């Protein structure tokens, strides 16, 4: 009987539980033994592994976070750590692995695949920073959370006639800021991939105020090259309008996953089990043009994500 492991690693993302549920139940249906590895690669090194049954994943589809828990492991990135991981997998008789996480988890999956483990990787991260897929598990829920916050913040910003900078997650990829900014009506967005013009931002605020606009919303990704509080001071000095900062932080990671995230998690997980049942080579599974697509794991690791410039430029047009 084929024995497979499943783990969630790195930052948690809404929809991870839906993916774990589908891996376990589809795996069992395919005649496999499924083992849950707790705390990601860190738990793998410690042998925190338990066999999972269908009932192990009952009533988790709608829950945020991950029942397997997650962690980051510096030790796993070393040769010693990876040798330890191989020893643990061999001890449990696990030759196949499903990993759920972002770019760091993908790199770890590639390291294990190079050592002979068959790995199916699912893109689980709110940042949407995994280049081989159009969308990652958890991204849609995170954007919806930001949109809800924008709506609430706009109410109080209008009442006080102020500018508000909303800082969202995204150290290297600005997709949360980009998508939330476009659909939330932000005047400006700041993302790590593109240089910003402070005078352009300030002019928009002043021109909007002169036209009778009661508030201004700026969405800033945490990785944009400026401190949010310093940015607020500069904008306030240039526009003579009160400017506040709201940092959404880990609020974006929580909450019940949206339908889109549940569906993406379920379909990619089911595809992973199909590929393992076929004894396929290691793959990264995601979505391209609305379809679930597996691509070579090593090719996936070489891809670089670029910002959607059409979307970025559209924000500039709509904010005038």
């Amino acid at each position: 009987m084929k024995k497979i492991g499943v783990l969630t690693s790195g930052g948690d993302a809404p929809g991870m539980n839906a993916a774990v549920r589908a891996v376990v139940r589809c795996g069992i249906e395919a005649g496999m033994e499924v083992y849950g590895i707790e705390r990601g690669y860190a738990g793998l090194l410690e042998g925190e592994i338990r066999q999972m049954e269908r009932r192990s994943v009952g009533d988790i589809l709608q829950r945020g976070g991950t029942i397997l828990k997650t962690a980051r492991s510096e030790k796993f990135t070393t040769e010693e750590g990876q040798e330890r991981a191989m020893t643990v997998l061999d001890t449990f008789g696990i030759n196949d692995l499903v990993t759920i996480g972002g770019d760091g988890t993908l790199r770890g999956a590639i390291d294990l695949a190079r050592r002979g483990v068959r790995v199916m990787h699912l893109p689980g991260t709110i940042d949407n920073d995994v280049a081989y897929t159009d969308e990652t598990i958890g991204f849609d829920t995170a954007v919806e959370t930001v949109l809800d916050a924008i709506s609430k913040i706009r109410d109080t910003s209008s009442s006080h006639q102020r500018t508000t900078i909303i800082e969202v997650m995204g150290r290297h990829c600005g997709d949360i800021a980009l998508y939330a900014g476009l659909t939330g009506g932000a005047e400006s967005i700041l993302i790590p991939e593109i240089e910003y013009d402070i005078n352009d931002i300030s002019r928009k605020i002043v021109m909007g105020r002169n036209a009778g606009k009661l508030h201004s919303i700026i969405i800033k990704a945490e990785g944009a090259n400026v401190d949010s509080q310093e940015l607020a001071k500069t904008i306030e000095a240039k526009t003579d309008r009160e400017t506040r900062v709201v940092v959404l932080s880990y609020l974006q990671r929580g909450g019940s996953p949206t339908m889109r995230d549940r569906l993406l998690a379920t379909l990619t997980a089911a595809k992973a089990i199909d590929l393992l049942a076929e004894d396929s080579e290691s793959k990264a599974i995601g979505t391209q043009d609305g379809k679930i697509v597996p691509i070579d794991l090593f090719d996936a690791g070489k891809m670089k994500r670029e910002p959607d410039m059409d979307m970025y430029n559209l924000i500039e047009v709509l904010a005038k």
Side-chain angles (χ1 to χ4, degrees):
M1 179 177 288
K2 187 186 293 289
K3 295 182 178 181
I4 70 170
V6 56
L7 62 80
T8 54
S9 183
D12 62 303
M16 280 184 164
N17 279 329
V20 171
R21 173 180 179 266
V23 167
V24 171
R25 292 189 171 176
C26 291
I28 293 172
E29 185 69 19
M32 304 173 185
E33 286 185 4
V34 184
Y35 291 81
I37 301 170
E38 299 194 347
R39 297 196 308 113
Y41 295 125
L44 174 58
L45 299 184
E46 299 298 325
E48 298 176 20
I49 300 174
R50 57 187 171 91
Q51 186 171 357
M52 304 189 77
E53 306 293 342
R54 295 182 68 88
R55 64 180 178 274
S56 304
V57 291
D59 197 32
I60 68 169
L61 181 66
Q62 76 284 2
R63 289 166 57 184
T66 164
I67 63 164
L68 292 178
K69 299 183 285 294
T70 185
R72 291 182 169 86
S73 174
E74 289 297 324
K75 184 177 180 181
F76 177 77
T77 64
T78 67
E79 289 288 325
E80 178 187 10
Q82 290 164 23
E83 287 294 335
R84 170 64 183 166
M86 294 301 296
T87 298
V88 173
L89 290 172
D90 182 65
T91 299
F92 280 84
I94 297 173
N95 295 315
D96 303 329
L97 199 60
V98 178
T99 59
I100 309 167
D103 189 58
T105 307
L106 173 60
R107 291 194 298 270
I110 291 171
D111 289 334
L112 291 176
R114 288 197 177 107
R115 295 174 180 269
V117 180
R118 183 174 15 245
V119 185
M120 300 298 161
H121 178 74
L122 311 185
T125 168
I126 67 169
D127 291 337
N128 208 40
D129 61 351
V130 182
Y132 74 84
T133 182
D134 290 340
E135 193 165 330
T136 59
I137 298 164
F139 174 66
D140 187 62
T141 306
V143 172
E144 287 295 330
T145 298
V146 174
L147 284 176
D148 182 63
I150 291 173
S151 296
K152 291 178 170 64
I153 290 167
R154 178 177 283 112
D155 291 343
T156 188
S157 293
S158 295
S159 297
H160 292 271
Q161 301 178 59
R162 65 166 63 119
T163 297
T164 305
I165 299 168
I166 303 175
E167 182 179 301
V168 302
M169 285 186 167
R171 283 179 293 176
H172 306 292
C173 174
D175 275 11
I176 292 178
L178 189 59
Y179 281 69
L182 178 63
T183 57
E187 280 73 25
S188 299
I189 65 163
L190 283 73
I191 59 177
E193 302 95 325
I194 301 174
E195 290 292 326
Y196 70 95
D197 183 337
I198 187 63
N199 288 326
D200 181 56
I201 294 171
S202 300
R203 278 196 304 272
K204 286 181 185 176
I205 295 170
V206 173
M207 291 171 65
R209 180 182 61 198
N210 293 343
K213 199 167 190 178
L214 296 178
H215 68 271
S216 292
I217 299 290
I218 299 168
I219 309 296
K220 173 190 169 293
E222 62 181 320
N225 189 29
V226 61
D227 177 78
S228 295
Q229 295 295 341
E230 290 301 316
L231 178 65
K233 291 178 183 177
T234 302
I235 290 174
E236 188 165 305
K238 285 179 172 289
T239 64
D240 195 30
R241 176 178 248 180
E242 181 185 14
T243 304
R244 296 288 181 88
V245 175
V246 176
V247 181
L248 298 185
S249 190
Y250 290 102
L251 177 69
Q252 298 155 87
R253 289 200 186 279
S256 180
T258 62
M259 178 279 290
R260 285 181 60 176
D261 278 330
R262 298 185 199 192
L263 186 62
L264 177 60
T266 300
L267 294 180
T268 53
K271 185 64 175 179
I273 296 301
D274 288 344
L275 291 168
L276 289 176
E278 297 167 3
D279 290 327
S280 168
E281 296 297 321
S282 295
K283 293 287 191 296
I285 305 162
T287 177
Q288 295 179 4
D289 299 324
K291 297 180 180 180
I292 302 300
V293 178
I295 68 170
D296 180 81
L297 183 71
F298 300 100
D299 288 343
K302 298 174 186 175
M303 295 181 180
K304 302 297 181 184
R305 192 162 192 87
E306 299 294 337
D308 188 327
M309 291 306 300
D310 289 338
M311 186 177 294
Y312 181 84
N313 292 330
L314 183 57
I315 292 174
E316 296 298 307
V317 172
L318 297 175
K320 291 181 179 178

